[in-house]
Amino acid sequence: MVTSYWPLFVKHFPENAALWGETSESSDYGFWIPTYAIDGLLTTVAHTKSETDPWWRVDLLKVYRVNRVTITNRNNFAYRINGAVIRIGNFLDVYNNTICGVISTLAASATATFSCGGMVGRYMIVHLPGDDKILTLAEVGVYGYLAGNSLLYSTFQY
């Protein structure tokens, strides 16, 4: 009898699920595009123009149970991220999704981890409420597992 654990890997994705997603943001500043937040480089950032309620979004392309989200701040102008809200859900509209966490402050180049407790959603959105705000993100991670695959919890034997 051989026990296989491969279904657990398929279900839990220890890797960053955002890497397979599609990114967008409320506006692009210059050549700083939304994909830069998942490129693995701390020298590039996703960057919006100065606007009211800027946001950045990753479409995970499938519905996940999100356990945690990581946000890495840029190496300068660190204060710009203060007050940003992280949301998980199935809606393109920012405010219809559930809040996972709020970034009160985050030092330059620092990474914060937010526990989302298995929130269900296809989209992870970071938005910054207020007028004349600029949202910049160095790196974003979304970790969890595909929702609705309860059979994959079991260990298969053959």
Side-chain angles (χ1 to χ4, degrees), residues 31 54 66 99 108:
F31 60 89
V66 177
I99 294 174

Side-chain angles (χ1 to χ4, degrees), residues 14 17 26 30 46 49 59 64 67 76 84 101 103 112 119-120 126 132 134 140:
S26 53
K49 295 176 183 173
D59 178 351
Y64 282 77
N67 292 326
N76 55 9
I103 303 169
M119 289 179 158
V120 176
V126 179
D132 298 318
I134 298 170
V140 173

Side-chain angles (χ1 to χ4, degrees), residues 13 26 37 49 67 75 87 89-90 103 105 107 116 120 135 144 151:
F13 290 103
S26 53
K49 295 176 183 173
N67 292 326
N75 62 4
R87 293 178 179 261
N90 289 311
I103 303 169
T105 61
C116 300
V120 176
L135 179 62
L151 286 177

Side-chain angles (χ1 to χ4, degrees), residues 26-27 48-56 94-95 125-135:
S26 53
S27 64
T48 68
K49 295 176 183 173
S50 179
E51 61 186 314
T52 299
D53 301 329
W55 54 264
W56 180 93
V94 171
Y95 297 99
I125 303 167
V126 179
H127 76 102
L128 188 56
D131 296 326
D132 298 318
K133 298 289 186 175
I134 298 170
L135 179 62

Side-chain angles (χ1 to χ4, degrees), residues 4-109:
S4 171
Y5 295 97
W6 71 265
L8 294 176
F9 172 76
V10 171
K11 177 119 175 132
H12 292 284
F13 290 103
E15 292 88 14
N16 180 359
L19 298 177
W20 297 291
E22 296 176 358
T23 60
S24 58
E25 57 188 6
S26 53
S27 64
D28 295 337
Y29 178 75
F31 60 89
W32 300 103
I33 58 176
T35 306
Y36 286 163
I38 59 168
D39 67 359
L41 302 172
L42 297 179
T43 55
T44 61
V45 297
H47 193 308
T48 68
K49 295 176 183 173
S50 179
E51 61 186 314
T52 299
D53 301 329
W55 54 264
W56 180 93
R57 174 176 58 224
V58 61
D59 178 351
L60 301 171
L61 305 176
K62 294 184 179 185
V63 177
Y64 282 77
R65 287 197 175 275
V66 177
N67 292 326
R68 65 186 167 95
V69 169
T70 59
I71 304 289
T72 302
N73 202 1
R74 63 184 291 167
N75 62 4
N76 55 9
F77 300 103
Y79 65 90
R80 286 183 177 167
I81 202 167
N82 295 349
V85 179
I86 300 164
R87 293 178 179 261
I88 306 293
N90 289 311
F91 303 100
L92 289 172
D93 178 64
V94 171
Y95 297 99
N96 284 332
N97 297 300
T98 306
I99 294 174
C100 165
V102 176
I103 303 169
S104 55
T105 61
L106 186 58
S109 301

